[in-house]
Amino acid sequence: MVPEKWVQSLFLLIVGIFTHASGAFVGINIGTDVSNLPPTSDLVAILKAHQITHVRLYDADSHILKALSASGIEVMVGVLNEEILSIGESASAAATWINKNVAAYLPSTNITAIAVGSEVLTSIPNAAPVLVSAMNYLHKALVAANLNFQVKVSTPQSMDIIPRSFPPSTATFNSSWNSTIYQLLQFLKNTNSYYMLNAYPYYGYTKGDGIFPIDYALFRPLSSVKQIVDPNTLFHYDSMFDAMVDATYYSIEAFNFSGIPIVVTETGWPWFGGADEPDATVANAETFINNLIKRVLNNSGPPSQPRMPINSYIYELFNEDKRPGPASEETWGVLFANGSAVYPLQLSTSDRITENSSVVFCVVKPGADSDKLQDGLNWACGPGQANCTAIQSGQTCYYPDTIENHASYAYNDYYQKMRSVGGTCDFSGTAMTTTNDPSSGSCHFAGSSNSNTSTGGLSPPVAFGPTNPLDGSSSSMHSLRLQHLISAAFFALVLL
């Protein structure tokens, strides 16, 4: 009889094989500092509606991990910064963490990576001496549980540990971290893991004192007189994003390591900011995110590593309105809490977008005054004769239970009924029109292709990853790798 533990190991090995057999992916970060975070069941419905196949959690939220069970979505879980010291000093603490936050959910929830902390070297440098120890202990716990083929361990770092990132060919890590970085790279190489990079062209541009044009940060074409060229390699850089990734590859190379892929664990652009943040606009955020998707899904790497695709996670899914700091900290999300897109999102490999070109919806304007919204909601459901049954408690559009969600539904219902006879979408300046369908899950707004009052067809939503929920690198490299891994899997089966 085949031992059950061996069968599970083989199953996870085969999962690991096919997990890395397809093209590059664009995933997304899910933060929970949201006042009206939708229920986890709605969250998974939103992810599936937008064909998102890879997500990163900043912790190991049990409710979200349970909800993601059997979804097929690949999940990266996180060790919190405040957990690193205890895990880095205790193998038993690491084993407990793995058993509680990873092994307990596999294989049903498809956990494939652990991000140990967030920008540890620059945010909590006192934990740096035990960072790699924590990673080693976690990896050994995975080995003991026969999960090391399925789950990789790494740690996200910011671009700040590279003091001068341009030109990329001369970039090096901050020498004060040499010992830790060498240990980190050695660990990644030994465990066949990857370097996690948080790369934000938004900050590279806004803190760059005008050195680089904004088109360079937004992936827009540069004129012939504004080409960005590394004077040492003569490589042309079409985007700041590529230059950041390449600077990191060169910094790794300076330690005499090669073959360690880079995965961008955070990148994005805020769509609203304060008076001193003029570049945080909807137009810029839309341009950056859609161009990022196109860039990543072309399956190529930066100039120095053209065969190493840049798998990336967008920062972030929802607007985290509870985050402290400047106004822009609250507006990095690509979706509102009801699942509707902040701006149209386009998949580069097709003409599909998350908007309905033949239908205009009326929704709440971001930042609208709550008192005015309440007045507008009362009017729409009263004198305006909007059908507000669906936003009553227990009905399909009650959640998220927010004034913004309820007002959007009521405003839109009124607008769809009355615009043909002069009804407007204003509501004392609290409303705006959009071609983004705000429907989510079983909640269908009037005018949606899924509602009984549809006036047009909704294009399929953007896919933040390939239709097949798998990831990987260039096809030629993976074809060879896949052949060897499949052979190994069948050989293991014979041995069983």
Side-chain angles (χ1 to χ4, degrees):
M1 182 179 232
V2 177
E4 181 180 344
K5 194 172 185 181
W6 285 29
V7 172
Q8 181 184 24
S9 301
L10 181 60
F11 171 78
L12 292 173
L13 172 61
I14 295 173
V15 167
I17 291 170
F18 289 99
T19 292
H20 294 82
S22 187
F25 69 81
V26 179
I28 201 155
N29 288 270
I30 303 177
T32 56
D33 283 341
V34 182
S35 296
N36 300 292
L37 190 70
T40 53
S41 57
D42 289 354
L43 172 61
V44 176
I46 289 170
L47 294 173
K48 288 192 171 184
H50 290 275
Q51 300 177 39
I52 297 171
T53 60
H54 295 72
V55 299
R56 175 191 172 209
L57 309 182
Y58 304 130
D59 53 16
D61 186 287
S62 61
H63 299 293
I64 297 178
L65 288 174
K66 288 177 183 176
L68 288 166
S69 175
S71 68
I73 295 171
E74 291 198 22
V75 185
M76 179 187 297
V77 294
V79 173
L80 297 174
N81 282 352
E82 52 264 35
E83 297 176 302
I84 292 175
L85 285 174
S86 61
I87 293 175
E89 295 172 349
S90 170
S92 62
T96 299
W97 196 96
I98 291 296
N99 290 333
K100 176 184 176 181
N101 300 303
V102 178
Y105 301 100
L106 282 168
S108 182
T109 300
N110 192 17
I111 299 173
T112 58
I114 301 171
V116 182
S118 177
E119 303 183 353
V120 172
L121 299 186
T122 50
S123 60
I124 53 165
N126 62 301
V130 298
L131 174 60
V132 180
S133 293
M135 297 170 69
N136 267 309
Y137 283 144
L138 290 166
H139 177 72
K140 289 177 180 178
L142 289 171
V143 172
N146 290 301
L147 297 175
N148 54 303
F149 290 107
Q150 161 80 2
V151 184
K152 295 301 179 183
V153 178
S154 188
T155 178
Q157 300 299 332
S158 76
M159 284 297 300
D160 291 339
I161 65 172
I162 302 176
R164 297 184 62 181
S165 60
F166 197 90
S169 62
T170 60
T172 57
F173 292 117
N174 187 325
S175 60
S176 62
W177 298 116
N178 275 359
S179 176
T180 300
I181 290 173
Y182 179 83
Q183 294 173 47
L184 168 61
L185 296 177
Q186 188 69 65
F187 170 85
L188 299 178
K189 187 71 174 179
N190 290 345
T191 61
N192 195 31
S193 188
Y194 45 85
Y195 186 95
M196 293 180 175
L197 170 67
N198 292 349
Y200 286 97
Y202 171 75
Y203 291 123
Y205 171 72
T206 58
K207 296 178 180 179
D209 298 323
I211 296 175
F212 297 107
I214 192 168
D215 288 341
Y216 179 58
L218 295 174
F219 299 90
R220 287 177 178 152
L222 301 173
S223 67
S224 58
V225 296
K226 292 184 178 180
Q227 294 293 304
I228 308 297
V229 181
D230 186 314
N232 303 305
T233 62
L234 300 184
F235 285 144
H236 284 244
Y237 288 90
D238 296 327
S239 71
M240 187 179 293
F241 177 81
D242 276 72
M244 287 178 164
V245 174
D246 237 0
T248 308
Y249 271 120
Y250 279 110
S251 297
I252 293 172
E253 186 180 289
F255 276 84
N256 294 317
F257 285 95
S258 61
I260 299 175
I262 291 172
V263 170
V264 175
T265 37
E266 292 179 24
T267 189
W269 197 285
W271 54 267
F272 180 79
D276 58 344
E277 300 173 298
D279 301 297
T281 67
V282 170
N284 285 346
E286 177 184 348
T287 298
F288 178 85
I289 294 298
N290 283 314
N291 285 341
L292 170 74
I293 294 170
K294 293 177 182 177
R295 167 64 190 89
V296 172
L297 296 186
N298 72 12
N299 280 320
S300 67
S304 79
Q305 305 286 336
R307 292 170 60 85
M308 300 283 278
I310 313 172
N311 294 327
S312 302
Y313 291 81
I314 292 171
Y315 182 84
E316 59 185 335
L317 185 64
F318 298 121
N319 299 298
E320 293 191 274
D321 60 314
K322 294 165 65 176
R323 287 181 61 85
S328 63
E329 281 296 314
E330 303 178 11
T331 61
W332 291 81
V334 299
L335 300 181
F336 294 111
N338 67 358
S340 62
V342 175
Y343 40 78
L345 297 164
Q346 184 168 351
L347 181 62
S348 65
T349 54
S350 72
D351 295 326
R352 298 177 296 170
I353 53 179
T354 58
E355 67 173 316
N356 184 336
S357 59
S358 60
V359 178
V360 176
F361 299 91
C362 180
V363 297
V364 165
K365 184 181 296 183
D369 180 79
S370 58
D371 291 335
K372 290 184 177 180
L373 283 179
Q374 188 63 60
D375 291 340
L377 174 61
N378 293 341
W379 186 91
C381 294
Q385 299 183 10
N387 183 354
C388 297
T389 302
I391 55 176
Q392 303 306 307
S393 180
Q395 300 301 309
T396 55
C397 296
Y398 180 71
Y399 288 108
D401 181 17
T402 65
I403 185 65
E404 292 82 6
N405 178 62
H406 292 175
S408 285
Y409 186 90
Y411 287 4
N412 183 69
D413 194 85
Y414 165 82
Y415 182 66
Q416 298 299 334
K417 292 176 180 176
M418 303 303 294
R419 64 175 175 164
S420 62
V421 292
T424 62
C425 179
D426 182 70
F427 294 92
S428 300
T430 64
M432 67 178 190
T433 57
T434 178
T435 52
N436 296 339
D437 187 346
S439 302
S440 176
S442 60
C443 175
H444 304 304
F445 276 50
S448 166
S449 62
N450 294 317
S451 74
N452 294 329
T453 56
S454 174
T455 57
L458 177 68
S459 300
V462 64
F464 280 103
T467 303
N468 186 342
L470 309 171
D471 65 358
S473 301
S474 60
S475 58
S476 59
M477 294 173 68
H478 276 289
S479 295
L480 181 59
R481 181 181 176 192
L482 184 60
Q483 291 173 19
H484 289 298
L485 287 172
I486 289 175
S487 298
F490 281 105
F491 181 67
L493 184 58
V494 170
L495 290 179
L496 294 179

